[in-house]
Amino acid sequence: MTDLSFSHFCNWLKFRHLVLIDTLGRTRNMHLAAQQMNLSQPAISKMLKEIEHLLGFALFERQPRSMPPTALGEQVVRYAQVALNDARNFVDQIGSLREGGHGHLKVGGIFAATAVALPDAIVQIKQRWPLLSIEVVEQTSDHLMAMLDEKILHLAVARFTDEAQRQRFDFQPLAPEPFCFVVNHHHPLAEVGAVTLQQLLEWPWILYPKGTPIRGRMERAFAEAGVAVPRNTIDTISMQTFLKVLQGGPMIGMLPQAMVEPHLHSGVLRTLETPLHLAPQDYGILTRKGEPLVGPALEFAEILMADARKARERLEATR
């Protein structure tokens, strides 16, 4: 069949077809897909042929040892994954509501957001809806947007890392995300005042991994200062590792101000005065374009916005 109408697609395609497409997309193997779906291999093969006949093109290549998706098949696999994630969210919500709960909310946040903005908002929404089930994912902005795109998250608190992302997501700014350079209070640079670029390069650094947006910003800061990125580094995305290593050894780290604020107040960490400059970048609420938030997700976003507004008012009052 080559002329596929929307009504015929809706009348014919079933969730078991989506499960098959998703399973084959993950396993790339007919035998493994049959095992995971608890069906016979001939039954799987017949169902796949029916789907391909409906769509009018092959979804997977038939290779001796593997079945990778075709170019068009990649799009269908992605649709199946998004549709199934959406269905899982629906089932979770209904299951929670039937058991007397208030539904399920899954949010993602970058590290600056999970330090302050998300915890404060979670406390407030739990006071309003004690039985609301909340799941929090901490990741980089790029990872969070991928999860948002796949409907794994209801919303994310992150920032754009590429202008093209504005075409797929709506953004409501909350606050700037300033970074600072820190060492522990025993570090030889902790009390020297302004440090030079050469002094910075003499010590090991703990950094975000290569390819992450924050690492890219830091590399640009070094390039603008006319020096190479330090070679003696530890790369990690784990905040716990970041803080433990910083406190335990003579390392230099670049972290969001919100993450290190408590450790600066306690005196465990100290900020460095450096010639490197990283302009603060706003983080905010990211949602799928054209899909307005509803229910707990909408209420959670409104709490985040109200908290950000109050924080700006307090800051302006102290100036």
Side-chain angles (χ1 to χ4, degrees):
M1 178 179 177
T2 57
D3 186 15
L4 178 65
S5 70
F6 178 70
S7 60
H8 187 67
F9 177 81
C10 292
N11 290 334
W12 191 88
L13 194 71
K14 298 179 175 61
F15 272 97
R16 63 188 177 91
H17 298 138
L18 298 178
V19 172
L20 170 59
I21 295 166
D22 174 56
T23 306
L24 270 177
R26 287 184 289 102
T27 63
R28 303 192 172 201
N29 183 282
M30 189 77 76
H31 178 67
L32 289 176
Q35 283 185 328
Q36 292 190 16
M37 293 183 67
N38 198 28
L39 293 171
S40 68
Q41 196 163 322
I44 290 287
S45 180
K46 180 183 177 184
M47 196 189 310
L48 178 60
K49 288 178 182 177
E50 290 173 349
I51 299 169
E52 290 179 329
H53 177 70
L54 167 75
L55 296 175
F57 53 84
L59 296 181
F60 298 90
E61 298 178 23
R62 272 62 167 182
Q63 297 180 0
R65 296 181 179 275
S66 179
M67 292 182 63
T70 63
L72 284 173
E74 289 277 8
Q75 300 301 314
V76 180
V77 169
R78 173 167 170 71
Y79 167 76
Q81 292 170 342
V82 170
L84 290 173
N85 284 335
D86 208 16
R88 289 188 189 98
N89 286 334
F90 172 74
V91 171
D92 287 342
Q93 291 280 13
I94 293 298
S96 174
L97 292 169
R98 285 186 61 187
E99 294 170 5
H102 292 141
H104 179 75
L105 175 64
K106 188 168 183 177
V107 301
I110 56 174
F111 306 114
T114 55
V116 179
L118 286 183
D120 289 348
I122 288 169
V123 169
Q124 292 178 65
I125 200 167
K126 287 292 283 185
Q127 288 172 344
R128 301 180 190 180
W129 305 105
L131 299 181
L132 176 65
S133 173
I134 302 175
E135 185 176 352
V136 179
V137 176
E138 185 178 64
Q139 256 299 348
T140 62
S141 292
D142 286 345
H143 279 88
L144 292 173
M145 277 183 272
M147 296 176 73
L148 194 61
D149 211 19
E150 294 167 7
K151 296 198 172 184
I152 296 173
L153 301 175
H154 291 101
L155 61 89
V157 180
R159 51 182 144 62
F160 286 127
T161 60
D162 189 309
E163 283 300 309
Q165 293 162 346
R166 296 181 184 274
Q167 298 175 9
R168 299 178 5 244
F169 303 102
D170 288 324
F171 179 75
Q172 294 176 287
L174 292 176
E177 183 189 26
F179 280 77
C180 58
F181 299 93
V182 293
V183 295
N184 66 43
H185 65 289
H186 296 301
H187 198 289
L189 296 181
E191 303 292 344
V192 302
V195 298
T196 66
L197 288 171
Q198 186 56 42
Q199 286 176 307
L200 292 175
L201 297 176
E202 291 172 355
W203 297 95
W205 284 68
I206 182 165
L207 301 172
Y208 285 80
K210 292 180 180 178
T212 58
I214 295 173
R215 176 64 173 262
R217 290 176 65 195
M218 191 207 164
E219 290 173 352
R220 285 194 295 274
F222 271 93
E224 289 168 2
V227 295
V229 176
R231 294 183 178 179
N232 185 359
T233 65
I234 298 171
D235 294 355
T236 181
I237 206 167
S238 165
M239 282 298 102
Q240 186 174 13
T241 301
F242 246 111
L243 294 171
K244 285 289 185 183
V245 172
L246 271 175
Q247 293 173 32
M251 310 288 296
I252 299 175
M254 186 191 80
L255 287 169
Q257 183 84 25
M259 289 297 304
V260 297
E261 201 70 58
H263 305 282
L264 295 175
H265 283 310
S266 69
V268 173
L269 296 180
R270 305 281 176 83
T271 57
L272 294 180
E273 184 183 341
T274 81
L276 298 174
H277 176 67
L278 281 87
Q281 186 178 358
D282 277 351
Y283 66 86
I285 302 168
L286 284 165
T287 55
R288 291 178 290 275
K289 192 170 284 292
E291 294 186 28
L293 295 176
V294 296
L298 175 60
E299 190 164 352
F300 191 75
E302 289 172 344
I303 291 172
L304 287 168
M305 295 289 288
D307 286 353
R309 187 167 54 251
K310 291 174 186 175
R312 287 194 297 270
E313 291 170 354
R314 287 195 299 268
L315 182 61
E316 290 170 2
T318 59
R319 288 175 178 172

